[in-house]
């Protein structure tokens, strides 16, 4: 295993005075294998972390979509129930010969007057 290896890892280590003796090539091979294993482990850890982050992001999107669906269902179910409650309340009050006043405020025109370009800026 003696000789001049100027263009190899063994030549580099030998030139730096780091490796001497008959097992110099074995030490170089072990060092190279360790470096390769460390690089592979780092790459695998990075890939696993990115995969976990992707799964978490997908779960967050699904949870947000489920929450939006729940809100839609609650609003869809609660508005007719509220209207039924108001109607029954008015009818019971009228049957009892109480005075009933229903004041309703339509705010839909308010949203039509907003300048959306200015609002978005």
């Amino acid at each position: 295993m003696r000789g001049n290896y100027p263009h190899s890892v063994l030549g580099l280590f030998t030139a730096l005075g780091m490796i001497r003796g008959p097992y110099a090539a074995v030490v170089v091979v072990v060092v190279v294998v360790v470096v390769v294993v460390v690089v592979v482990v780092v790459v695998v850890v990075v890939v696993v972390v990115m995969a976990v982050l992707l799964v978490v992001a997908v779960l967050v999107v699904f949870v947000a979509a489920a929450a939006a669906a729940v809100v839609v269902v609650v609003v869809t179910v609660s508005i007719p129930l509220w209207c039924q409650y108001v109607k029954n309340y008015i009818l019971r009050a009228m049957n009892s010969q109480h005075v009933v006043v229903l004041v309703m405020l339509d705010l839909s025109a308010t949203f039509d007057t907003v300048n959306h370009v200015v609002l978005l800026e």
Side-chain angles (χ1 to χ4, degrees):
M1 293 270 115
R2 291 187 184 152
N4 190 4
Y5 307 101
H7 302 295
S8 65
V9 176
L10 178 60
L12 176 64
F13 285 168
T14 305
L16 293 174
M18 298 173 72
I19 299 176
R20 295 179 195 265
Y23 298 108
V26 174
V27 171
V28 169
V29 169
V30 169
V31 168
V32 169
V33 168
V34 168
V35 168
V36 168
V37 167
V38 168
V39 168
V40 168
V41 167
V42 167
V43 168
V44 167
V45 167
V46 167
V47 168
V48 167
V49 167
M50 291 182 74
V52 167
L53 290 175
L54 179 65
V55 168
V56 168
V58 168
L59 287 176
V60 166
V61 168
F62 282 139
V63 167
V70 167
V71 167
V72 167
V73 168
V74 167
V75 168
T76 305
V77 170
S78 66
I79 288 176
L81 290 176
W82 182 81
C83 291
Q84 185 68 32
Y85 171 77
V86 170
K87 182 179 113 180
N88 288 338
Y89 184 82
I90 291 171
L91 290 175
R92 277 185 278 134
M94 289 172 60
N95 285 338
S96 301
Q97 301 203 354
H98 291 106
V99 176
V100 177
V101 176
L102 177 63
V103 177
M104 300 179 74
L105 181 60
D106 183 14
L107 295 176
S108 62
T110 305
F111 297 106
D112 293 336
T113 60
V114 173
N115 187 350
H116 296 288
V117 176
V118 174
L119 184 63
L120 291 175
E121 289 176 359

